[in-house]
Amino acid sequence: MDNIKENRRNFIKFSTLGILGLALGGGVVISPHLLRAEMRLRPPGAVPEQEFLALCIKCGQCLQVCPYHSIKLSDIIMGHGIGTPYIDPRERGCYACNAVPCVLACPSGALDHALEKSEDAHMGIAVLEFPNRCLALSNTPVPKGHSKRIHDFINEQNNVTQLERDMLKKLDAFEGKQCTICADMCPLPNPLSAISMVKNDDGKKPEIYEGCIGCGVCEELCPSKEPAIVIKPRLSYEDYYIKGIKS
């Protein structure tokens, strides 16, 4: 009986070690591809991704101080970097707070304390990826109830801030008007450095400039059922619009 128990323990031990070895060995080969495929929007000041994953201690302090409930922590479904902070721009963009509280709250340097102003962040770049969805291009008025999704998200939060209430009030005012939401709701101190609406045939379209930090507000607030404008995380204006790097 003792031999049977010992054999069983050895089988479990060595089987587990073998599986872990295969997983770790495979990770060395495929991790760069996974890193590229799963790259997501990080909070302002995030250092390069591999360094970020090494430095982040998954404390969640950046999430706790965000006044717009923009930051989430990744779970096992998200793949690598479990417990690290990210932003889902369709759910909630980053509103480029003046004091950049998430950076100040980071104790490990995963969010670089050298970033003192939100407009100096390099989170990603906005791209009009689906022009056929853009209400401005088709000269379609912003529909009634366009902001319900945003209201629902905010109402689910335990501590709604006045900043969020003010944002909702401004957003609601676009109903029935020509859509300029992505440009007029840009949270940067000088939004025209990042995005503006330019004439295009019978309508208008958003045009992106070098000042875009990839905050994701334009993607979040786009009133189309699926966003016309999306964020490419970790890419700069030069990467996408000059060098032509698409992912």
Side-chain angles (χ1 to χ4, degrees):
M1 181 66 71
D2 290 340
N3 286 338
I4 293 174
K5 288 181 179 178
E6 182 66 25
N7 289 339
R8 185 177 297 163
R9 280 195 295 268
N10 287 337
F11 174 79
I12 292 170
K13 178 173 71 175
F14 290 114
S15 296
T16 303
L17 288 173
I19 291 168
L20 286 173
L22 286 171
L24 291 172
V28 171
V29 176
I30 66 173
S31 59
H33 301 286
L34 286 175
L35 199 65
R36 194 179 308 115
E38 296 182 8
M39 196 75 76
R40 48 188 170 269
L41 196 63
R42 297 298 187 184
V47 296
E49 185 69 6
Q50 290 188 345
E51 186 182 353
F52 177 86
L53 292 173
L55 286 174
C56 179
I57 61 173
K58 307 172 178 63
C59 64
Q61 291 190 48
C62 56
L63 178 153
Q64 294 171 28
V65 300
C66 178
Y68 286 94
H69 299 95
S70 303
I71 301 173
K72 304 170 69 173
L73 299 181
S74 58
D75 57 27
I76 195 168
I77 297 174
M78 296 296 293
H80 74 275
I82 297 169
T84 57
Y86 73 101
I87 291 171
D88 179 348
R90 186 54 175 170
E91 181 173 278
R92 196 71 164 139
C94 164
Y95 279 78
C97 303
N98 289 333
V100 206
C102 55
V103 173
L104 293 175
C106 178
S108 70
L111 303 182
D112 190 352
H113 284 218
L115 179 69
E116 298 179 347
K117 299 183 295 182
S118 57
E119 57 264 41
D120 293 334
H122 301 286
M123 301 168 67
I125 191 69
V127 174
L128 182 63
E129 182 135 294
F130 304 100
N132 59 307
R133 300 174 183 172
C134 181
L135 299 184
L137 267 172
S138 62
N139 208 9
T140 303
V142 176
K144 183 178 181 180
H146 73 99
S147 60
K148 181 181 183 302
R149 177 175 55 84
I150 317 299
H151 276 272
D152 289 345
F153 174 84
I154 291 176
N155 290 335
E156 289 173 0
Q157 309 310 314
N158 293 325
N159 52 336
V160 179
T161 66
Q162 188 59 47
L163 290 169
E164 291 175 304
R165 294 189 183 96
D166 292 343
M167 184 277 295
L168 281 176
K169 185 177 179 181
K170 183 177 179 182
L171 180 63
D172 289 342
F174 287 91
E175 188 174 298
K177 299 177 181 177
Q178 183 181 43
C179 188
T180 57
I181 288 175
C182 58
D184 288 342
M185 292 294 292
C186 176
L188 292 180
N190 179 19
L192 288 176
S193 69
I195 187 171
S196 73
M197 303 301 293
V198 298
K199 278 189 167 294
N200 187 84
D201 297 331
D202 294 330
K204 293 183 177 182
K205 71 171 185 177
E207 187 167 87
I208 314 301
Y209 308 119
E210 290 182 74
C212 174
I213 66 170
C215 68
V217 169
C218 53
E219 181 174 342
E220 176 203 352
L221 302 183
C222 180
S224 299
K225 289 183 179 179
E226 296 292 335
I229 192 166
V230 298
I231 301 301
K232 302 290 184 179
R234 297 288 192 179
L235 293 184
S236 67
Y237 179 90
E238 182 178 3
D239 289 334
Y240 189 90
Y241 290 102
I242 298 176
K243 295 179 180 178
I245 300 173
K246 301 302 180 184
S247 62

